[in-house]
Amino acid sequence: MDDGAFAAAARKARRRLPRLFADYIDGGAHGERTMARNRDSFAQWGVVPRALRDVSAINLTTCCFSRTWKLPVFLAPVGFAGMFHHHGERGAAHAAGSRGVGMGISTFSIAPMETVAATGADVMAQIYVLRDRALTCDMLARARACGITGIILTVDTAITPVRERDVRNGFRHLSRPTLLQMASLLNHPAWVAGLVRGGMPVVGNIDAYTTARNVMGQARDVAARIDPTLGWDDLAWLRENWQGTLVVKGVMTPGDALRAVDAGADGIVVSNHGGRQMDPSPAPLDVLPGIAAAVGDRIDIMLDSGIRRGGDVVTALALGAHAVSIGRPWVWGLAAGGAAGVAAAIDMLEREIRDVMALAGLCDIGSVRAAGRNALWRF
């Protein structure tokens, strides 16, 4: 798979991680055509160079979801990140905070949301609506109590589809590791040494909601409780029970975007879950212009899935996004080098965004969005 600017970190991460977790990061649903489409969609666009413009100062400051970030990049919520490096979600949050960007805390975070929020980073809590609404309400109360002011409702996971790599490796399908899995884990001593520093890992963010006592068992238990009947009335219920910023992630049609607006959402994330849910699916970049045209300036839009280069970010902004979110790139950085690896991934993307904007004669995010398609070339 094309790892873009993050290829070196991805290679190092794959060497360092047991196959069980490397394939979890890399894999997608069914035939993984959607993952390929997510990248191919960006190859259809170029950013037009503009000459003789004053680009001595490039300002990447971005306003999105009632937040101000130093660049238009957000670390998407990624489950089990604490299994990839002992710095875990807290290390990633430290990196995000040091670089002035936001981060989403996965429901399936190894570190509880309370410890991640305590880093002082600008974090938002990912929320799945569970069959037992009392558990969802408890997660909302926990978010409020630890100072989190924004949540991300993920709506494209009514079921978990077949992910062939995970099936082969027994990820989530087994309540405890097999002998073959244990051998694979122990064959990565640096990873093991880091992990054992904190004792036996659990999915700390949901530990109180399950009686299972290991990561795979906990994940399987709670994932089975995600409510497959979730509908628009439930979004209205969530809006009534959450007074902070509410973002809906997994919107892929103009109609759904408009319904999210009508239900009181403050923002949407145009996303196909990185190719991990519907396969085949359109790429988010393909549907972004239509969604942006439908909602106008009524709501902020983030583009997720397939971002690997600074040019990808500029393209998404020009087609209607206010910011982008990255998943695999920051996780590869974490797995390869801990918190420093996440910071390096953010820095690399920032450099490329600056390069592309300067060569396109665009000095700030507002000018990229104002230029729109005029800043781009369709191949």
Side-chain angles (χ1 to χ4, degrees), residues 6-239:
F6 309 96
R11 286 193 298 269
K12 183 177 179 181
R14 293 184 185 110
R15 290 194 301 267
R16 186 177 175 277
L17 286 174
R19 181 172 180 176
L20 174 74
F21 295 113
D23 277 356
Y24 173 78
I25 297 171
D26 258 345
H30 299 176
E32 300 186 348
R33 286 184 291 168
T34 299
M35 291 202 310
R37 178 61 194 161
N38 288 349
R39 289 298 303 132
D40 291 344
S41 64
F42 284 100
Q44 307 305 310
W45 296 92
V47 181
V48 179
R50 303 283 184 181
L52 298 176
R53 308 286 179 95
D54 180 359
V55 291
S56 56
I58 303 296
N59 183 2
L60 302 185
T61 301
T62 302
C63 293
C64 187
F65 303 158
S66 302
R67 289 158 156 74
T68 300
W69 299 320
K70 291 184 179 178
L71 60 154
V73 174
F74 182 82
L75 305 191
V78 176
F80 315 104
M83 295 299 295
F84 309 144
H85 192 282
H86 63 276
H87 287 176
E89 294 89 0
R90 292 186 75 253
H94 277 297
S98 71
R99 296 312 191 261
V101 303
M103 174 182 170
I105 306 170
S106 171
T107 294
F108 295 96
S109 170
I110 298 301
M113 68 171 79
E114 291 83 355
T115 63
V116 182
T119 64
D122 180 11
V123 296
M124 302 178 71
Q126 181 204 38
I127 296 292
Y128 288 111
V129 175
L130 305 179
R131 298 173 194 266
D132 184 349
R133 293 293 193 271
L135 297 182
T136 302
C137 286
D138 186 70
M139 294 199 76
L140 296 177
R142 287 172 54 204
R144 280 191 292 266
C146 66
I148 293 174
T149 60
I151 61 171
I152 302 169
L153 174 67
T154 299
V155 296
D156 59 0
T157 53
I159 65 163
T160 299
V162 172
R163 297 170 185 164
E164 293 180 1
R165 301 194 206 200
D166 289 351
V167 172
R168 287 196 297 268
N169 295 324
F171 192 90
R172 288 201 198 190
H173 298 281
L174 302 173
S175 59
R176 63 184 63 186
T178 64
L179 290 176
L180 187 61
Q181 286 174 332
M182 287 299 297
S184 174
L185 300 182
L186 294 173
N187 197 37
H188 296 80
W191 174 83
V192 171
L195 202 65
V196 298
R197 294 179 189 179
M200 181 62 69
V202 295
V203 188
N205 208 31
I206 57 171
D207 191 36
Y209 309 139
T210 174
T211 57
R213 303 320 307 160
N214 62 71
V215 168
M216 286 191 288
Q218 290 178 320
R220 185 176 64 176
D221 181 19
V222 175
R225 302 193 212 176
I226 296 173
D227 191 349
T229 71
L230 188 71
W232 291 104
D233 289 343
D234 298 296
L235 178 56
W237 168 84
L238 190 62
R239 177 72 283 177

